[in-house]
Every structure is written in structure tokens, then in C-alpha cells.
Amino acid sequence: MTAQLRNGSCADQRVEGMNPVPRRRSPEALDVVVDVRVWLAVICGAAAGLTYFVTAWTAAGQVWDQRVFLFARSELSVLPVPAWARIPWVSSPVLWIGVAVLVTVFGVVGGLRWRTTLYLAFPPGMILLARVLRLAVLERPELAGAAGWAADNAAPSGHATAAAATAVVLTMAAPRAVRPWIAVVSAGWVTLIGVQLIVAGWHRPGDIVLAILLVGAFSAVLPRPRTAASPAMVLLITAVAGIAAGVLAVWATVGADGLGPKTTQAFGLVAVCAGVVVSAVPGPGRSRLGPRGATNRGR
């Protein structure tokens, strides 16, 4: 009888150990898990708003934006670049079909399932949003302090939006092993397209920067890929490499001769935005906020 009671007690202990009763935690001790992409998207959105305000609603911003545009259009010329890196390629059906196939293949391999559909819908949706903003929402008034420098609004650039949105979804859908490489190459390509749009006289620098930042802001609506997120250090290195790829793209597009201070600032800003949005926004994991966030990072 005693042995049976002992055995029953041990069995109860094992059951209790296997199915512990959850302890209720006070609201003050609860962890709030936040996707880092949300914070990056908020930063991109704030930066996009600031870019539009400075370049469209301040006299100094209008003058700077238009001067870079006129100088680049008249004094710079695009060096020979491969056909796939030229502006018409952005609207080519070959590009869109190729990206759709790659995203679909990545989705099948990575088990993305319904995420693949949202990734495929993101670039067209961003292009439509950019068009509505450019034609019906955003304005570029002629300010007294910028007489002769104002022009019709052309922000955000549709081509830059398409390039950035395509690069973001391709990076997000890619397997973790190749994601950094795709991010770096894509960031360089986005910068390459943006610089060509300025030099060819299609858009001002503010139009390009605004388009890239808007893509970064709205990328938060995309679901996270099922593959594990890259470590923070890998993301940082990837972002820096993406910016470096953008700088290299500038050199490959217009060379280093004849670049003035304002043009260098504008092209560098395009490279930084492309590197951060394409490399960093698609990949970060989650952060914990709250009183116990610092102690529960490993859980």
C-alpha cells in the first residue's frame, strides 16, 4: 500500500513537471514584443515627410533640389552601363516576370505560402500609391524666396518606387543564406536607377529620396518571412555594404569627374537611403520592450 502511494505521488510529480500550471504575471511585468521593422518603418516615414517638406515647402530646399537637378542634367552624362541597369529596364516585362518567378520559387522553397502573394502585390501597390500622391495629393508651391526655381511636383518618382519595392520584396523572400548578397546587389541597383533618373532629367533628388523612403515606410505591412532573421551585426554589415554598393553604382553611372558638392550630397543621400531600406528594413527580427525586456532576450 505504501509503495502504491509512493508510486502515485511520483507519477503526480512527473505529470505536474510535464504540465506546469502557468503563473499569472502582473501587467507591469509583461513583455511587449515589437517587430524592429516597425521602428525602421516609422523612421523612414518621418524621414519621407521631412524630405517632402524641405524640398517642396521651403525656399532653400526648392533651390537646392532644382540646382542639383539642372546641374546634373546639363553637366553630367551617364556612362555606359549594362542594359539591365538602365532606366527602361524598370518597366520591362522581363524584369517583372523574372522577379515574380524568383519570389515564387523562394516562396515554395522557404514555405512562405500566403506571404508570397502579398510580396508579389507590394510593388504594384506602391507604384499606384506613388502615382496617386504625385498627381492628386502632393503639391510643390512657388515660394517667394525660390522664384524661378519652382517647378511642377514630380514626387515621388514612380520608377524609383518600382525599383525599391521590387528590391525589398526580393530580399524579404530570399532564403537567409543568400539574403545579404541579394540585398547588397539590389541596393546598388536601386541607387543606379535613382542617379540615372536625376542625370537624365526625369526627376529631382528629392523625388528619388522620397520614393525610396516611402517604400521603406510601407514595407512594415509586409509579413515577416518564415526563415530566421539575420543577427543584428549581419544586418548592420549588410546595410553598410549596401550603401557602399550604391556609392560604387554612382561611380559606375557618372564617374567621379565633375561632381559638385551639392551633386555629391544628393547622390550620397540616394545611396544611403537605398542601402538602409533594401538591406535593413526587410530583415530585422523582434525586440522586447518592458520592465523584463532586458532579462528575457534569450527566451
Side-chain angles (χ1 to χ4, degrees), residues 142-156:
E142 186 170 352
L143 304 177
W149 295 100
D152 294 336
N153 178 63

Side-chain angles (χ1 to χ4, degrees), residues 47-242:
L50 180 62
T51 298
Y52 170 67
F53 173 77
V54 171
T55 58
W57 289 88
T58 67
Q62 282 193 0
V63 171
W64 177 87
D65 208 22
Q66 193 71 5
R67 276 181 173 172
V68 173
F69 169 75
L70 293 175
F71 175 82
R73 186 180 64 177
S74 60
E75 301 296 332
L76 300 178
S77 59
V78 177
L79 298 176
V81 295
W84 56 266
R86 298 173 186 171
I87 297 174
W89 185 257
V90 178
S91 56
S92 171
V94 177
L95 172 69
W96 290 97
I97 294 174
V99 170
V101 170
L102 280 177
V103 171
T104 303
V105 170
F106 289 157
V108 172
V109 173
L112 299 180
R113 299 178 183 177
W114 56 270
R115 295 173 177 84
T116 304
T117 303
L118 296 181
Y119 291 166
L120 293 175
F122 183 70
M126 287 304 305
I127 294 172
L128 178 61
L129 174 63
R131 185 174 180 81
V132 171
L133 290 176
R134 182 172 64 253
L135 299 179
V137 179
L138 302 183
E139 299 179 357
R140 186 181 174 89
E142 186 170 352
L143 304 177
W149 295 100
D152 294 336
N153 178 63
S157 165
H159 281 76
T161 300
T166 301
V168 165
V169 296
L170 190 59
T171 303
M172 291 191 70
R176 180 179 178 181
V178 298
R179 188 180 301 158
W181 303 100
I182 292 179
V184 171
V185 174
S186 299
W189 177 68
V190 171
T191 304
L192 191 66
I193 296 298
V195 171
Q196 289 183 83
L197 289 169
I198 299 172
V199 176
W202 289 28
H203 284 283
R204 291 177 288 266
D207 306 342
I208 309 300
V209 172
L210 177 59
I212 297 173
L213 290 175
L214 280 177
V215 171
F218 281 91
S219 66
V221 304
L222 292 173
R224 286 170 43 82
R226 294 185 62 184
T227 54
S230 302
M233 183 56 65
V234 174
L235 292 171
L236 178 61
I237 295 174
T238 304
V240 172

Side-chain angles (χ1 to χ4, degrees), residues 16 19-23:
E16 291 178 359
N19 300 283
V21 178
R23 296 180 180 179

